[in-house]
Amino acid sequence: MITLFRTIRLWQLKIKWKLALMQFLDQQLSDLTKNPQELEKKFVDALAELIHNSPTASE
């Protein structure tokens, strides 16, 4: 009986964390879709940093 109870509690905890993660991701995506210019700016900045820090052929 204790094992069944523990299994149910672990299952509930797993679902709780999945729902929390999905809620967080949904919130982040909705924030990004509300302001597409900010998303574009972040993307371009990250791409420029990758290009700037990439190793050259001479290295």
Side-chain angles (χ1 to χ4, degrees):
M1 191 67 173
I2 294 174
T3 305
L4 179 61
F5 180 72
R6 178 180 266 170
T7 304
I8 291 170
R9 290 294 294 152
L10 288 174
W11 178 68
Q12 289 174 337
L13 187 61
K14 180 180 165 184
I15 289 175
K16 178 182 175 182
W17 280 103
K18 277 186 180 181
L19 289 174
L21 177 64
M22 289 298 166
Q23 182 181 10
F24 175 75
L25 291 176
D26 185 45
Q27 181 183 10
Q28 295 300 316
L29 288 174
S30 66
D31 289 347
L32 289 175
T33 56
K34 287 180 185 175
N35 193 357
Q37 291 83 16
E38 185 69 27
L39 176 64
E40 182 181 350
K41 183 177 182 269
K42 286 181 181 180
F43 179 72
V44 170
D45 289 344
L47 186 60
E49 183 179 343
L50 283 173
I51 292 171
H52 178 70
N53 293 334
S54 66
T56 59
S58 62
E59 290 180 358

